[in-house]
Amino acid sequence: MRAVHAFCAAFHRSHTQGVLAIAALLWCSCAAALNPDLTIKELLHTAWGPREGAPPGGVQELAQTNDGFLWLRSYSGLYRFDGIAFEHVELPHDAKLASTDLLGVFASRTGGLWISVYSGGVAFLRDGRWQVYGAQDGLPPGAVREFAERPDGTLWVATTVGFGRFDGVRWRSVEADMGLPAGIVPVFVFVDGQGTLWLGASGKMFTLRAGERQFSRFPYSGPMPVISRLAESSAGTLWYDTDDALVKIFQNPTPVAPSSPLAHGPAFDHDGTLWDIGHALVRINPERLRDGVAVPFKDVPDRYTNTDGLTGRALYNLMVDREGNIWVATAQGLDRFANPSLEAPLRDERNRNALGSVTQIGLAPADDEGGLWVTDTYGAVQRYQDGRLATPALKERIACLLRTDDGTVWFGGRNILWRERQGRFESLAPPGPDGDTQALAVDKSGGLWASIVRSGVFYLKDSVWTPYGGISTLPRRWAITIVRDRRDRLWFSYLDGTAAVLDGDQVRTYGAAEGLQIGFVAANYSGRTDQWLGGEFGLARFDAERFHGVRTVPELSLARITGIVETSAGDLWLNGQSGIVHLPAAELQRSRLDPSYRVNGETFGAFDGVVGTGWMRRPLPTAIEAGNGKLWFATSSAFFGVDPNRLVPNRIPPPVVIRALTVGDHRIDPRPGVTLPVRTATVRFDYAGLSLTEAQKVRFRYRLDGIDTDWREVTPARQALYSNLRPGHYTFRVIAANNDGVWNDKGAALAFTIPPAFVQTGWFIALCLAGGALAVWVLVRLRVHQVTVSVHRRLQQRMEDRLNERTRIARELHDSLLQGFQGLMFRLQAVRQLLPERPGDAEKFLDSAMQLGDQAISEGRDAVQNLRSSSFDDRDLATSLGALGTELGAGIEPLSKPQYRVVVEGRPRDLTAVVRDEAYRIAREAVRNAYQHAKARQIETEVTFTDADLTIRVRDDGIGVEPQILAHGQRPGHWGLPGMRERSESLGGQLYVWSERNTGTEIELRIPARVAYADTPTSAH
């Protein structure tokens, strides 16, 4: 069957013993097996060529590590594949690897990946770190072609010139001391399920059983090509690939446990079927291997080549992954074979040829055993049974199909109507108008309803067609669908998005007001408890009163639904724009209880082999249930079936890996406890869920401890972005579910730290707090000092005020009582001296003294009155000064009384209380002196208000003030002038006195405006 390749080509060929050992280690009873009843061509085939991102130069070898990654050896280097993207992996730059030209890859059962290069040297990759070995580490000479691993962890290798082993510490060459002949040329190395090591070299086979130290020659005398392999079935049978046939060479005493290693080269899948490669991919049924007879490859009928769709003609490698899928490495890319989720009859070339070219397919159950009636675009009605399409039974172009409860099948087209009963076709007269038959339905009495495009609805009873069944309230337009529900009511749907229900002769119409908002209805299904309607914009449920739209998660589309089927379990299956959608009953029930709940489900689309989409017009419906319970869906290009009771779920939870952290433009290796750069605020996490069956359907949940309190919503995204992160310790966690919703709850976690910048450290915060506290303390101290100074100043001012008040009192008492009593004492002394000798004169002096006493008493009374109360109440300064003339002129002879007047210059201003009082007292003292001492005829007081100051002048035309008094500033024994000066200085003012003998006196008081006025003008500066 296969030609022998050249020896150099063998180096580029696949040797998958270790890979299959890992597959066996991961293989368990829950792993899905490829359906042995299907041929390779009926399996789901997915191809990755250069356009899909496969490595340049094709793929030469495959391996799957425990983390789920698929590793690819290519002429262009080492790659890893997660089911979606190919990622190039750099080899270590080490002198022990003189070349980067890969020769082999091998996945260790304990985790990690071994690689070898042509120039000699091997390297081991685990957790992102490489360990390189060369001749100085004891690595045997030559280039390592193959690897094998025993259960105890010892690694065995076949090089181009010999064999070697690695015990985890040091490499050792396998020499003649272990029973091997010298000079043999290695062909293969293999470990079976019992732990026995098998070597092939120079046409001979050798074995080393567990616990033995010497190899034994195995009695094999057949051919041993340079490319040959062993394979072991789950029953423990060892088969040898001789390049032309598969030969049984040994039977282990006990079957291989599911967790034991499987063979390489020809590979057994999880169902026991044998796969092999050469010029074609072949599959051998387990039944053919049971008798142990050699199987020539040329006699194997189930085969697949590049003409069937493989990416390349030259096949290099074969591998079974942990989920049971078959992978093939070719010269141009990578191919996968998996169990199809759906039955696709048109994958079979015979069915494609029988049906011909199609753009619209109609379906209807043909019987109770699972048969179908299938219509195509060009006028053929064919029966599909047991996987095969029969020759056309009717040559008509059919637009609508309907099977009734009694087994009758109706076929409607353009101006045609056929009825099939028990294989017999009968033609009936159509309603009459020229148009395609859009919909058919039979009511409980057996009458037939038909909707004719652009013509209307017609009812057939007793061979008579009646428009709209004679019901006047039925809408006068043609219907998209007509469906009879479980209560024998008829539902009509229309292009405007409304629906009408005919119950007997009563019609009720539903539209947006009743919650029906899904565009025009193209699918209507009567379920066990609800009526389900599907249309342009989604799915709606009718609960006998209103319609309720079904909300879904963002990644699940329910647009353009053209077919609905409800299973006995309550699940819904829909045919829509995105493909075939499955909604579990549990999700639908949650939607019934909470209309806002977003339903989750699964979609079978292009990745599942679905081609085309359901037509929105006809034939409808595009989803039906066959008599055997299988569901069928029609698209524009094919039709697909699924048995909901026989779906084999993928129960292998996907391993989860965190691939990288990205901060800014820097990609960081996700090692546990990694420390990110200072001031990091935004981090992107890249992760993957390693399910190679349908990687596009893997869903994730993630959370960041320290930020999230719960898992984020389910998402297909393979990245998570967090921003505004503060310094601290975080742990990012991610879990994943495979295509069938099986969750890996352990997932992956990565702890990392964002260190604080200096300004974000506790020390800096402590310093800031300490600095703030110090600033507060300084401010408090400053404020206390200010308050203390202010209080001190107020106390000092109060003391000064008291002292000034006492001084003033002293002046008042001096100027009034003391002066008066002093004069009185002089008079009494004179009386005492004159009384003995001159009694008459003494009497005169005594009268004068008595008058002087009365005057002193009056002046004392006035002084006390001035001390007890303000000089004026609410009067202004000018008015108060004007009153002095009356006050001081009392008791003076009219002829001797001077004339007194007050003159005001400028706009009067409000004065502060202190200035008003003190200025009045100063002016009063000046006026009083003029009245008592000046002997003046005229006395004038002038008050001038300016923006700069307040000026008060007191003038008289009296005798003036003695020069010596002006020079000393006061009359001896008198305190009038000193008191006036002290008062003016206390106000910040100035007092001037001008006087000459017999020309009068002028006293001027100036007080700054800022002190004098209560409303200081802004210009007074």
Side-chain angles (χ1 to χ4, degrees), residues 699-1018:
R699 296 295 180 262
F700 301 91
R701 283 180 173 174
Y702 61 87
R703 61 184 293 173
L704 183 62
D705 292 349
I707 298 296
D708 298 321
T709 58
D710 201 356
W711 293 101
R712 296 288 182 102
E713 288 297 322
V714 177
T715 174
R718 293 149 62 91
Q719 290 182 344
L721 182 69
Y722 284 87
S723 57
N724 299 320
L725 297 180
R726 300 182 60 83
H729 300 282
Y730 299 91
T731 300
F732 177 73
R733 305 180 189 277
V734 57
I735 58 177
N738 66 12
N739 57 301
D740 284 321
V742 177
W743 284 92
N744 178 351
D745 292 323
K746 182 178 180 181
L750 176 66
F752 64 95
T753 300
I754 301 178
F758 175 71
V759 296
Q760 297 172 312
T761 61
W763 284 106
F764 180 79
I765 295 174
L767 288 174
C768 290
L769 292 176
L774 179 61
V776 171
W777 181 81
V778 169
L779 291 175
V780 170
R781 293 289 299 173
L782 180 61
R783 180 58 181 163
V784 170
H785 175 71
Q786 291 175 342
V787 172
T788 301
V789 171
S790 176
V791 171
H792 177 72
R793 287 177 178 174
R794 287 199 299 268
L795 292 176
Q796 185 176 10
Q797 184 64 41
R798 291 179 62 184
M799 293 297 295
E800 292 178 356
D801 291 345
R802 290 184 179 182
L803 180 60
N804 292 337
E805 186 65 16
R806 290 176 181 177
T807 302
R808 186 176 71 83
I809 293 173
R811 288 196 298 266
E812 294 289 342
L813 293 178
H814 173 270
D815 292 344
S816 56
L817 292 177
L818 293 181
Q819 291 182 6
F821 280 113
Q822 186 177 14
L824 179 61
M825 291 302 294
F826 286 141
R827 297 293 177 92
L828 291 177
Q829 185 177 4
V831 170
R832 182 178 179 275
Q833 292 176 351
L834 293 175
L835 186 59
E837 298 177 0
R838 297 165 57 187
D841 292 334
E843 182 178 358
K844 293 179 181 180
F845 272 99
L846 182 59
D847 291 337
S848 176
M850 291 177 65
Q851 292 177 359
L852 186 59
D854 290 338
Q855 183 179 353
I857 291 172
S858 177
E859 291 178 355
R861 184 183 300 110
D862 293 341
V864 172
Q865 179 65 28
N866 289 337
L867 293 175
R868 289 175 61 89
S869 62
S870 175
S871 302
F872 47 85
D873 296 326
D874 295 331
R875 296 174 296 177
D876 59 23
L877 179 62
T879 303
S880 299
L881 292 177
L884 290 177
T886 302
E887 176 187 346
L888 298 177
I892 301 177
E893 293 294 332
L895 296 177
S896 301
K897 182 185 298 185
Q899 293 184 0
Y900 177 73
R901 69 172 185 160
V902 175
V903 179
V904 178
E905 299 288 343
R907 180 174 62 86
R909 306 278 183 86
D910 291 332
L911 304 178
T912 62
V914 174
V915 170
R916 186 181 61 178
D917 191 62
E918 292 298 316
Y920 170 77
R921 293 184 183 279
I922 294 172
R924 185 180 185 282
E925 179 67 19
V927 174
R928 190 178 69 82
N929 287 337
Y931 266 94
Q932 292 185 357
H933 305 294
K935 298 179 182 181
R937 293 187 301 276
Q938 299 288 336
I939 301 175
E940 180 183 82
T941 299
E942 178 185 316
V943 181
T944 303
F945 297 93
T946 68
D947 290 341
D949 52 32
L950 169 69
T951 303
I952 301 175
R953 298 183 182 90
V954 179
R955 308 183 187 93
D956 66 65
D957 58 355
I959 61 175
V961 180
E962 296 292 336
Q964 61 272 24
I965 295 176
L966 291 176
H968 289 86
Q970 68 181 85
R971 188 187 302 273
H974 289 259
W975 301 93
L977 282 175
M980 294 167 66
R981 293 186 187 279
E982 290 173 357
R983 280 194 170 98
S984 67
E985 291 174 358
S986 68
L987 298 175
Q990 295 178 327
L991 188 71
Y992 304 97
V993 180
W994 295 276
S995 181
E996 291 185 5
R997 185 182 297 278
N998 296 323
T999 59
T1001 302
E1002 180 174 332
I1003 298 176
E1004 181 182 272
L1005 171 65
R1006 287 180 179 272
I1007 303 174
R1010 59 184 173 80
V1011 177
Y1013 300 145
D1015 53 343
T1016 304
T1018 57

Side-chain angles (χ1 to χ4, degrees), residues 430-454:
D434 184 19
D436 281 321
T437 304
Q438 174 67 34
L440 295 170
V442 172
D443 63 17
K444 64 180 179 180
S445 66
L448 178 68
W449 290 83
S451 173
I452 306 301
V453 176
R454 290 182 295 275

Side-chain angles (χ1 to χ4, degrees), residues 86-309:
F86 296 87
E87 178 185 2
H88 184 262
V89 178
E90 290 289 338
L91 296 182
H93 299 285
D94 193 294
K96 297 176 183 178
L97 293 180
S99 168
T100 58
D101 194 2
L102 286 171
L103 178 59
V105 293
F106 172 78
S108 171
R109 72 172 69 214
T110 58
L113 181 76
W114 288 93
I115 63 101
S116 63
V117 296
Y118 273 95
S119 59
V122 298
F124 183 62
L125 175 64
R126 175 183 282 175
D127 299 329
R129 299 180 182 181
W130 288 96
Q131 179 67 47
V132 182
Y133 301 93
Q136 54 268 56
D137 302 301
L139 185 68
V144 175
R145 297 176 51 197
E146 294 195 9
F147 298 84
E149 189 176 25
R150 301 187 76 172
D152 62 3
T154 303
L155 186 70
W156 291 78
V157 296
T159 74
T160 53
V161 297
F163 294 97
R165 61 191 177 94
F166 180 62
D167 60 8
V169 178
R170 187 165 180 81
W171 289 89
R172 302 179 189 276
S173 295
V174 178
E175 305 292 348
D177 60 347
M178 294 192 70
L180 292 180
I184 58 176
V185 180
V187 175
F188 66 82
V189 57
F190 172 74
V191 176
D192 68 17
Q194 305 299 317
T196 300
L197 180 66
W198 293 75
L199 303 182
S202 299
K204 304 177 180 62
M205 289 189 187
F206 304 89
T207 60
L208 180 67
R209 298 184 182 278
E212 294 181 349
R213 294 183 175 274
Q214 294 288 314
F215 280 92
S216 301
R217 173 77 181 274
F218 181 76
Y220 173 76
S221 58
M224 183 175 289
V226 293
I227 300 174
S228 56
R229 309 172 182 87
L230 281 176
E232 184 178 19
S233 71
S234 58
T237 305
L238 268 70
W239 294 83
Y240 183 53
D241 178 1
T242 66
D243 197 40
D244 292 323
L246 196 67
V247 179
K248 176 182 176 180
I249 62 170
F250 188 73
Q251 176 67 54
N252 275 314
T254 57
V256 177
S259 60
S260 299
L262 290 177
H264 77 290
F268 287 93
D269 66 17
H270 296 170
D271 193 55
T273 301
L274 184 69
W275 295 76
D276 204 355
I277 57 172
H279 291 304
L281 172 67
V282 297
R283 188 186 194 199
I284 303 172
N285 193 288
E287 295 292 334
R288 191 166 182 182
L289 302 174
R290 288 183 181 176
D291 56 7
V293 176
V295 180
F297 288 112
K298 63 181 179 63
D299 296 336
V300 178
D302 195 4
R303 59 183 57 233
Y304 203 90
T305 67
N306 64 307
T307 59
D308 298 307

Side-chain angles (χ1 to χ4, degrees), residues 523-677:
N524 193 335
Y525 187 87
S526 182
R528 293 178 301 169
T529 59
D530 302 292
Q531 193 75 21
W532 299 98
L533 276 69
E536 291 179 277
F537 309 128
L539 177 69
R541 176 180 59 85
F542 183 65
D543 62 1
E545 294 294 334
R546 287 186 59 82
F547 289 89
H548 303 276
V550 176
R551 305 182 66 188
T552 63
V553 294
E555 63 270 20
L556 184 65
S557 172
L558 298 186
R560 300 178 69 85
I561 297 174
T562 57
I564 304 173
V565 177
E566 183 180 277
T567 68
S568 59
D571 294 4
L572 279 188
W573 288 80
L574 316 173
N575 195 0
Q577 178 176 281
S578 61
I580 299 168
V581 179
H582 172 216
L583 302 180
E587 292 289 302
L588 296 172
Q589 181 60 22
R590 291 188 65 176
S591 177
R592 290 186 183 96
L593 299 176
D594 178 10
S596 66
Y597 174 72
R598 292 188 176 275
V599 171
N600 206 342
E602 59 181 333
T603 301
F604 300 88
F607 291 110
D608 303 282
V610 175
V611 293
T613 185
W615 284 82
M616 287 295 292
R617 296 295 176 89
R618 53 192 171 272
L620 294 177
T622 61
I624 65 167
E625 182 177 9
N628 59 356
K630 183 178 289 187
L631 310 182
W632 290 92
F633 305 88
T635 72
S636 56
S637 303
F639 63 103
F640 304 90
V642 59
D643 188 341
N645 299 317
R646 298 186 62 184
L647 284 175
V648 180
N650 178 5
R651 293 191 174 93
I652 305 294
V656 184
V657 294
I658 299 173
R659 306 178 70 165
L661 289 83
T662 302
V663 177
D665 296 329
H666 302 287
R667 187 179 176 94
I668 300 174
D669 188 23
R671 297 180 180 177
V674 64
T675 299
L676 303 186

